[in-house]
C-alpha cells in the first residue's frame, strides 16, 4: 500500500490518492486473493463510481509493474470494463485517464530528436528500445502487433517517405481485412532503417523487433524497452553528480511507468481530437468495430482539460518534469558558450540563456525551453518570452475562432506546452534567487 501511495502521489493529488487507499481497503476485505482475476471480478460488481476509477488505476499499476498475480497482458481485460452506471451517463468520459501528459510528450519528442543524430553510435539494444518506443508513439500498435512485424512490412522510398503495414490483432476470425499500410515520420523511418541494417544478418524469420538474445518478445519486454529508454534520457539530461546518486534516483522516480497501451490510448485520443472519423480511428488501431473509436471521439478536448484539473495533478510532478526538460540555471557572466537569441511576437530576445549543443536545426527561443542543452540565465527576460508567446497564442486562437476550428489548431497546443515550460524556468529562477 505504501508503494502504491508513493506512485500515486508522484502524479496525482493527495485527495485522489486517499480515494485509492479507501478503495484498496474495501477491495482487500472482499477478495480471497490479490490477483488479476479476483480484482477484475470485484471491479465488475462495483457500484461506487468515485472509487471505481482510482481502484482501476491501482490494478493497472500492478499490471504495469508485473507484480505477482498480475500481468501486463491483463491491461487489455481492464480496459474492457465498463464503469458503474450513474445519473450522468457522460461522466465516464471525464474520467478517461491520459498518462501521456504534455510534459511527458515533450520529453519523449526531445529524446527522439537527440537520438536521431547519434543512431550510428547507439548499441543494438538501445536502438531496439528506441524503435519500439517510436512505433508505439506513432502507430499505437499492441505488443502482439509489434511482435508480428516483419522486415517486409517496412517500406522505404528513397529515405524520404516511410510506411509500415500494421498486422491484425484481436479481430474476429470471420472478419477479413486487407492489411493496412500506415505512413510514419521520417524520424521513425530512419530509426527502423538503421535497425534493419544493423540486425539484418541475424533477423529471426524476418522479425523486425527481435530481441538481441533471440528470446520471444512479450508485452513485458516491450514495456521494459520503452521505459529503459525514458530512464536513459532522464539520466543523460540530469545536471548533477554521476553515477546514480540518491538525488538522481529520486529524480527518476518522478518518471511515469509507461506501457504500449498508454501510447495506444494516446493515438486514439489524438486522432479523435484532430477530427478523424470513427471508421478511420478503428482502421488505424486495428479494431473490427467502431465502438472504442466512438468513445475516443466522445472524449473531446474540453472534457480532457476538465479531467486533468479534476485529478489535481501534483505540482511537484510538474516541477520535476521541468527539471528534466532544461539544463542548469546559471549567471550570464559565467557562460562562455553560444548564447540564444530569437524573435517572439515581433520582439527580439537576447540574454535568456546559453546553448551547449554544437549544432541545432530548431528555431531559437521557442524550442529552447524544452531542450536539455538550453541553460537558462538567472536574470534573463523569461517573463517577457512567456508574455510574447501568450500574445501569439491569442492571435492563433482568434484565427481559429474565425475559421470555426478552435480545437483543431496544433499551433495553439504547441504554444501552450512551450508557455508551461517557460513558466517552470521562471519558477526555478525565483527559487534560486530566494536561496541566494
Amino acid at each position: 500500500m505504501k508503494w502504491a501511495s508513493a506512485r500515486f502521489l508522484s502524479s496525482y493529488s493527495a485527495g485522489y490518492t486517499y480515494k485509492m487507499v479507501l478503495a484498496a481497503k474495501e477491495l482487500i476485505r472482499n477478495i480471497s486473493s490479490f490477483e488479476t482475476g479476483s480484482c477484475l471480478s470485484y471491479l465488475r460488481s462495483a457500484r461506487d463510481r468515485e472509487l471505481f476509477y482510482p481502484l482501476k488505476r491501482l490494478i493497472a499499476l500492478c499490471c504495469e509493474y508485473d507484480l505477482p498475480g498480475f500481468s501486463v497482458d491483463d491491461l487489455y481485460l481492464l480496459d474492457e470494463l465498463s464503469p458503474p452506471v450513474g445519473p450522468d451517463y457522460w461522466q465516464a468520459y471525464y474520467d478517461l485517464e491520459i498518462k501521456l501528459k504534455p510534459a511527458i510528450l515533450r520529453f519523449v519528442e526531445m529524446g527522439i530528436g537527440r537520438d536521431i543524430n547519434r543512431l550510428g553510435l547507439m548499441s543494438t539494444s538501445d536502438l531496439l528500445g528506441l524503435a519500439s518506443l517510436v512505433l508505439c508513439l506513432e502507430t499505437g500498435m499492441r505488443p502482439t502487433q509489434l511482435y508480428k512485424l516483419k522486415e517486409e512490412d517496412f517500406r522505404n522510398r528513397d529515405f524520404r517517405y516511410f510506411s509500415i503495414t500494421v498486422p491484425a490483432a484481436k479481430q474476429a476470425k470471420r472478419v477479413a481485412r486487407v492489411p493496412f499500410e500506415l505512413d510514419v515520420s521520417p524520424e521513425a523511418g530512419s530509426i527502423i532503417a538503421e535497425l534493419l541494417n544493423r540486425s539484418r544478418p541475424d533477423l529471426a524469420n524476418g522479425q523486425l523487433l527481435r530481441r538481441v538474445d533471440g528470446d520471444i518478445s512479450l508485452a513485458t519486454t516491450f514495456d521494459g524497452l520503452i521505459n529503459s529508454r525514458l530512464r536513459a534520457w532522464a539520466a543523460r539530461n540530469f545536471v548533477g553528480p554521476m553515477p546514480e546518486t540518491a538525488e538522481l534516483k529520486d529524480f527518476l522516480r518522478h518518471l511515469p511507468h509507461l506501457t504500449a497501451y498508454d501510447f495506444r490510448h494516446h493515438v486514439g485520443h489524438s486522432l479523435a481530437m484532430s477530427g478523424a472519423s470513427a471508421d478511420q480511428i478503428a482502421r488505424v488501431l486495428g479494431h473490427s468495430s467502431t465502438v472504442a473509436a466512438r468513445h475516443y471521439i466522445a472524449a473531446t478536448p474540453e472534457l480532457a482539460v476538465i479531467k486533468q484539473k479534476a485529478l489535481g495533478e501534483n505540482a511537484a510532478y510538474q516541477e520535476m518534469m521541468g527539471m528534466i526538460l532544461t539544463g542548469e540555471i546559471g549567471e550570464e557572466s559565467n557562460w562562455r558558450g553560444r548564447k540564444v537569441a530569437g524573435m517572439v511576437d515581433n520582439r527580439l530576445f537576447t540574454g535568456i540563456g546559453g546553448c551547449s549543443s554544437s549544432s541545432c536545426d530548431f528555431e531559437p527561443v521557442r524550442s529552447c525551453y524544452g531542450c536539455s542543452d538550453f541553460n537558462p540565465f538567472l536574470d534573463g527576460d523569461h517573463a517577457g518570452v512567456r508574455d510574447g508567446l501568450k500574445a501569439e497564442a491569442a492571435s492563433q486562437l482568434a484565427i481559429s475562432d474565425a475559421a470555426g476550428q478552435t480545437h483543431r489548431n496544433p499551433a495553439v497546443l504547441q504554444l501552450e506546452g512551450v508557455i508551461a515550460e517557460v513558466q517552470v524556468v521562471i519558477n526555478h529562477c525565483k527559487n534560486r534567487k530566494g536561496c541566494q
Side-chain angles (χ1 to χ4, degrees), residues 241-394:
M242 300 292 282
E244 284 198 6
T245 61
E247 185 179 5
L248 177 56
K249 289 179 179 178
D250 179 68
F251 187 69
L252 295 178
R253 273 200 299 270
H254 285 78
L255 277 178
H257 184 90
L258 300 179
T259 69
Y261 293 96
D262 297 323
F263 288 98
R264 183 171 178 81
H265 292 317
H266 167 70
V267 171
H269 281 293
S270 299
L271 288 171
M273 290 181 185
S274 64
S277 67
D279 288 330
Q280 290 171 327
I281 296 174
R283 186 162 176 77
V284 171
L285 296 181
H287 292 157
S288 56
S289 71
T290 59
V291 174
R294 290 198 296 269
H295 282 290
Y296 285 125
I297 293 174
T300 59
E302 295 91 342
L303 300 188
V305 171
I306 293 173
K307 175 202 63 66
Q308 259 186 320
K309 291 180 179 178
L311 288 180
E313 189 174 317
N314 197 333
Y317 167 83
Q318 295 177 338
E319 292 295 311
M320 293 302 291
M321 286 309 304
M323 291 172 64
I324 293 177
L325 291 170
T326 55
E328 186 176 11
I329 296 176
E331 298 283 352
E332 182 176 5
S333 57
N334 297 330
W335 183 257
R336 296 295 178 265
R338 185 161 57 96
K339 295 183 180 180
V340 173
M343 300 288 293
V344 175
D345 193 35
N346 296 322
R347 177 184 169 190
L348 176 65
F349 285 92
T350 60
I352 59 173
C355 180
S356 58
S357 175
S358 57
S359 63
C360 180
D361 298 326
F362 297 102
E363 184 178 359
V365 181
R366 302 179 200 281
S367 302
C368 292
Y369 285 89
C371 180
S372 59
D373 290 324
F374 176 63
N375 296 269
F377 292 152
L378 193 61
D379 294 322
D381 188 12
H382 306 297
V385 174
R386 177 198 59 194
D387 295 339
L389 291 170
K390 286 184 176 180
E392 289 188 352

Side-chain angles (χ1 to χ4, degrees), residues 57-369:
R57 180 71 203 106
L58 172 64
I59 298 172
L61 196 65
C62 296
C63 293
E64 291 165 5
Y65 281 88
D66 214 21
L67 297 186
F70 297 86
S71 171
V72 175
D73 294 325
D74 297 332
L75 288 171
Y76 184 76
L77 300 174
L78 195 62
D79 289 336
E80 293 179 337
L81 291 179
S82 300
V85 177
D88 183 0
Y89 294 98
W90 293 102
Q91 182 64 33
Y93 301 113
Y94 286 83
D95 296 308
L96 288 172
E97 183 187 11
I98 299 178
K99 288 184 65 179
L100 269 70
K101 300 178 179 66
I104 297 294
L105 285 175
R106 181 69 171 173
F107 172 61
V108 170
E109 291 168 357
M110 294 303 299
I112 294 173
R114 295 187 65 177
D115 279 351
I116 284 290
N117 298 321
R118 51 185 296 273
L119 292 178
L121 303 176
M122 296 177 66
S123 67
T124 304
S125 178
D126 289 343
L127 192 60
L128 185 62
L130 180 62
S132 302
L133 191 151
V134 169
L135 285 173
C136 288
L137 177 64
E138 295 195 7
T139 68
M141 283 191 279
R142 296 186 180 98
T144 52
Q145 292 173 293
L146 294 172
Y147 177 70
K148 290 180 180 179
L149 284 176
K150 303 290 185 180
E151 181 181 1
E152 57 266 24
D153 293 331
F154 178 63
R155 301 285 186 275
N156 181 353
R157 302 177 180 86
D158 302 322
F159 282 91
R160 296 181 61 189
Y161 303 101
F162 304 89
S163 63
I164 196 161
T165 302
V166 179
K170 290 191 178 295
Q171 290 186 340
K173 292 183 179 180
R174 65 178 183 275
V175 179
R177 288 183 177 269
V178 178
F180 177 57
E181 190 171 347
L182 186 66
D183 291 336
V184 295
S185 67
E187 291 80 9
S190 301
I191 294 168
I192 298 173
E194 176 66 24
L195 178 63
L196 283 173
N197 292 334
R198 184 86 60 88
S199 57
R200 181 170 283 110
D202 302 319
L203 284 175
N205 300 322
Q207 187 183 355
L208 180 61
L209 300 178
R210 172 181 177 269
R211 285 186 60 182
V212 179
D213 57 9
D215 289 342
I216 296 177
S217 301
L218 302 175
T220 51
T221 299
F222 286 112
D223 293 342
L225 289 171
I226 291 171
N227 287 281
S228 65
R229 203 74 224 118
L230 295 175
R231 289 181 62 84
W233 290 338
R236 184 174 62 193
N237 293 353
F238 182 77
V239 180
M242 300 292 282
E244 284 198 6
T245 61
E247 185 179 5
L248 177 56
K249 289 179 179 178
D250 179 68
F251 187 69
L252 295 178
R253 273 200 299 270
H254 285 78
L255 277 178
H257 184 90
L258 300 179
T259 69
Y261 293 96
D262 297 323
F263 288 98
R264 183 171 178 81
H265 292 317
H266 167 70
V267 171
H269 281 293
S270 299
L271 288 171
M273 290 181 185
S274 64
S277 67
D279 288 330
Q280 290 171 327
I281 296 174
R283 186 162 176 77
V284 171
L285 296 181
H287 292 157
S288 56
S289 71
T290 59
V291 174
R294 290 198 296 269
H295 282 290
Y296 285 125
I297 293 174
T300 59
E302 295 91 342
L303 300 188
V305 171
I306 293 173
K307 175 202 63 66
Q308 259 186 320
K309 291 180 179 178
L311 288 180
E313 189 174 317
N314 197 333
Y317 167 83
Q318 295 177 338
E319 292 295 311
M320 293 302 291
M321 286 309 304
M323 291 172 64
I324 293 177
L325 291 170
T326 55
E328 186 176 11
I329 296 176
E331 298 283 352
E332 182 176 5
S333 57
N334 297 330
W335 183 257
R336 296 295 178 265
R338 185 161 57 96
K339 295 183 180 180
V340 173
M343 300 288 293
V344 175
D345 193 35
N346 296 322
R347 177 184 169 190
L348 176 65
F349 285 92
T350 60
I352 59 173
C355 180
S356 58
S357 175
S358 57
S359 63
C360 180
D361 298 326
F362 297 102
E363 184 178 359
V365 181
R366 302 179 200 281
S367 302
C368 292
Y369 285 89

